[in-house]
């Protein structure tokens, strides 16, 4: 080949490379990055919400570009712990590999803004209640005064429902009165004030005038603790609304009481709070025929295996937790297994791992009656700061004779950056520095059809 031919070949190759490079459009905020943030991030990252900064505009995003790149590349943000290999869930806010690559390329290119005309419409959010004004709002009966500092014990408040008839609920939302004060909260239904007790300023007092906790109220009414209480909803930062699929929902009976189970954290300044729960009633065509339960124990017995040995928990704890053998110091893979026997057909709607600071991972596996296994949910890197409700894409029918095995690891070693005291033995309680094992779920039991019960229920509107 002559020198001239080589030169022509070189020029052709160069021009092809240049044209190929030129054909690849630049990644910009307005055209590529804003749609990702608007779909997956700004629910929390906007003014008045829990995130520390707003990401609604280019000017707000640009100073955080490198931090955003780091967080999304490590999959720390958006918070979504489910292993994508298993299950399909509603409201999955995780980013795809392609979306992560887009953000990384944008930051590496200097985070250019792009053409203003490419910017999609800014999302609009309801002010106040996230899903519009509820049909009814029930609030704590009194303000709770928080000190500026110190440990604040978990506190129960009770208020009678303002109805003389039963109500059916398809959706609920918990809203703290003052943002930033509520570490977590649970809202429950209590059938009645125990005999000999009385309701005074939002507290239930026993015959001796001593304040009763909700577990004490449950036991005084013939139950053993939290598992016998009807749970409506949990609140943690980033999660406070649930709406039920199919004919599932909540029945709140006339004459019952709403229990606000409140865990506050001091912020350095005296403050007060009055948390509320909003109720969205069932409407014609979307009736509630089955009661939601938050634990598999509603459908059968549970066997617990700790470090390979079967154990019997001493008692039930708050949030559905159990009192198990203590976690030794410095152990990095303390293993707890619970096997939940399904003795009658159920419908599964979603799953919520609930652990504390040593929680490392949790996996739910369904074993069908014929022996087939199916992983329902795998959370390989549990994060106490983001306790997600993983709602299934659609309700799942599970027959009698099945079992659900939950395998959980706890890390009490120095490798756990959230561990407050690796040198200490870990007990089980509702306090964050202790531990909790509560593999929660949302289920209905098929045979418990509310339409079969002869009650004073008012016809659903």
């Amino acid at each position: 080949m002559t020198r001239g031919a080589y030169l022509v070949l070189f020029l052709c190759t160069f021009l092809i490379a240049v044209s190929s490079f030129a054909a690849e459009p630049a990644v910009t905020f307005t055209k590529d990055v804003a749609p990702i943030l608007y779909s997956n991030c700004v629910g929390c990252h906007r003014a008045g919400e829990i995130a520390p900064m707003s990401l609604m505009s280019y000017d707000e995003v640009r100073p955080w570009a490198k931090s955003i790149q780091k967080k999304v590349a490590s999959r720390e943000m958006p918070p979504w712990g489910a292993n994508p290999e298993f299950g399909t869930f509603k409201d999955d806010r995780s980013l795809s590999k392609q979306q992560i690559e887009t953000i990384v390329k944008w930051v590496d290119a200097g985070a250019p803004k792009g053409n203003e005309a490419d910017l999609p419409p800014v999302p609009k959010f309801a002010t106040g209640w996230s899903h519009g004004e509820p049909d009814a709002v029930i609030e704590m009966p009194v303000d709770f005064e928080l000190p500026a500092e110190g440990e604040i014990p978990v506190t129960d408040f009770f208020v009678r429902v303002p109805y003389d008839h039963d109500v059916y609920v398809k959706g609920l939302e918990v809203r703290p009165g003052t943002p930033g004060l509520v570490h977590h909260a649970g809202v429950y239904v209590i059938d009645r004030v125990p005999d000999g007790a009385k309701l005074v300023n939002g507290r239930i007092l026993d015959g001796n005038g001593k304040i009763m906790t909700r577990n004490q109220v449950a036991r005084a009414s013939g139950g053993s603790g939290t598992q016998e209480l009807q749970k409506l909803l949990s609140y943690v930062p980033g999660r406070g609304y649930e709406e039920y699929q199919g004919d599932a929902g909540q029945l709140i009976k006339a004459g019952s009481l709403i229990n606000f189970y409140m865990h506050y954290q001091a912020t350095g300044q005296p403050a007060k709070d009055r948390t509320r729960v909003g109720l969205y009633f069932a409407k014609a065509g979307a009736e509630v025929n089955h009661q939601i339960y938050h634990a598999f124990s509603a459908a059968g017995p549970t066997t617990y295996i700790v470090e390979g040995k079967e154990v019997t928990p001493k008692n039930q704890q708050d949030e559905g937790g159990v009192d198990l053998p203590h976690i030794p110091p410095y152990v990095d893979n303390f293993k707890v297994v619970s096997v939940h026997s399904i003795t009658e057909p159920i419908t599964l709607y979603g799953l919520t791992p609930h652990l504390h600071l040593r929680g490392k991972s949790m996996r739910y596996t369904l074993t069908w009656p014929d022996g087939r296994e199916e992983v329902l949910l795998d959370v390989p890197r549990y994060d106490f700061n983001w306790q997600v409700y993983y709602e299934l894409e659609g309700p799942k029918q599970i027959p009698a004779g099945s079992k659900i095995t939950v395998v959980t690891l706890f890390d009490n070693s120095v490798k756990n950056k959230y561990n407050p005291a690796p040198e200490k033995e870990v007990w089980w309680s509702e306090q964050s520095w202790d531990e909790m094992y509560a593999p929660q779920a949302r289920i209905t039991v098929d045979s418990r059809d509310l339409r079969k019960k002869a009650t004073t229920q008012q016809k659903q509107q």
Side-chain angles (χ1 to χ4, degrees), residues 29 33 37-38 42 44-48 52-68 106 111 113 122-123:
F29 174 81
V33 175
L37 300 181
Y38 288 176
V42 298
C44 295
H45 284 274
R46 55 191 170 92
M53 80 289 285
S54 175
L55 301 179
M56 295 288 287
S57 70
Y58 176 77
D59 289 341
E60 291 173 330
V61 172
R62 182 61 184 85
W64 299 97
K66 289 187 179 296
S67 178
I68 292 171
W106 174 67
K113 180 177 181 179
V122 176

Side-chain angles (χ1 to χ4, degrees), residues 29 108 176 191 211 232 282 381 390 424 427:
F29 174 81
D108 287 345
D191 285 342
I211 294 175
L232 293 178
R381 293 190 301 171
Y390 298 96
K424 293 185 178 181
W427 293 44

Side-chain angles (χ1 to χ4, degrees), residues 88 95 114 141 223 236 262 391-392:
T88 304
L95 300 185
V236 293
M262 305 300 298
E391 184 179 8
L392 304 186

Side-chain angles (χ1 to χ4, degrees), residues 78-93:
W80 184 262
N83 184 339
E85 293 183 17
F86 306 107
T88 304
F89 304 95
K90 295 182 67 176
D91 301 325
D92 182 348
R93 56 177 175 259

Side-chain angles (χ1 to χ4, degrees), residues 50-278:
I50 62 169
M53 80 289 285
S54 175
L55 301 179
M56 295 288 287
S57 70
Y58 176 77
D59 289 341
E60 291 173 330
V61 172
R62 182 61 184 85
W64 299 97
K66 289 187 179 296
S67 178
I68 292 171
Q69 181 189 51
K70 181 180 178 180
K71 292 292 185 180
V72 301
S74 65
R75 290 195 177 274
E76 290 182 60
M77 287 287 163
W80 184 262
N83 184 339
E85 293 183 17
F86 306 107
T88 304
F89 304 95
K90 295 182 67 176
D91 301 325
D92 182 348
R93 56 177 175 259
S94 62
L95 300 185
S96 67
K97 183 179 179 180
Q98 181 179 1
Q99 289 174 318
I100 293 173
E101 290 175 350
T102 296
I103 292 175
V104 170
K105 287 180 180 178
W106 174 67
V107 177
D108 287 345
K113 180 177 181 179
N115 190 334
E116 192 73 32
D118 292 332
L119 187 68
V122 176
K124 295 182 179 179
F125 297 93
T127 57
W129 300 95
S130 64
H131 288 70
E133 194 66 23
D135 296 306
V137 176
I138 299 176
E139 64 179 7
M140 284 169 36
V142 294
D143 288 340
F144 182 70
E145 304 282 345
L146 281 75
E149 299 177 346
E151 177 187 339
I152 302 173
V154 174
T155 306
D156 287 291
F157 298 95
F158 302 87
V159 59
R160 295 191 186 277
V161 298
Y163 310 111
D164 59 3
H165 58 272
D166 299 345
V167 295
Y168 299 81
V169 177
K170 285 294 290 182
L172 311 99
E173 181 174 0
V174 173
R175 289 193 67 83
T178 305
L181 302 181
V182 180
H183 179 277
H184 73 269
V187 182
Y188 293 79
V189 177
I190 304 291
D191 285 342
R192 60 185 179 86
V193 174
D195 294 339
K198 56 184 178 181
L199 181 64
V200 180
N201 292 330
R203 308 294 183 92
I204 293 181
L205 309 181
D206 65 14
N208 296 317
K210 184 179 179 180
I211 294 175
M212 301 178 70
T213 68
R214 64 196 171 114
N215 281 344
Q216 291 170 334
V217 171
R219 286 191 286 269
S221 299
S224 62
T226 304
Q227 299 288 58
E228 278 71 34
L229 299 182
Q230 177 187 344
K231 185 174 185 178
L232 293 178
L233 184 64
S234 289
Y235 169 86
V236 293
R239 175 166 69 90
Y241 176 82
E242 286 186 20
E243 182 177 344
Y244 306 113
Q245 299 184 54
D247 69 351
Q250 299 277 2
L251 167 60
I252 302 178
K253 295 182 179 179
S256 58
L257 298 93
I258 299 296
N259 165 222
F260 290 88
Y261 167 83
M262 305 300 298
H263 185 183
Y264 291 105
Q265 54 188 2
T267 61
Q269 298 289 335
K272 64 181 180 179
D273 173 71
R274 184 178 289 200
T275 290
R276 302 174 292 165
V277 58

Side-chain angles (χ1 to χ4, degrees), residues 30-41:
T30 55
K31 178 169 59 70
D32 305 287
V33 175
I36 299 173
L37 300 181
Y38 288 176
S39 296
N40 298 276
C41 306

Side-chain angles (χ1 to χ4, degrees), residues 340-362:
H340 307 266
S341 298
I342 307 302
T343 58
E344 55 180 315
I346 66 171
T347 301
L348 175 67
Y349 300 89
L351 302 159
T352 302
H354 180 70
L355 312 168
H356 286 175
L357 295 171
R358 278 84 169 187
K360 183 176 183 178
S361 65
M362 183 179 283

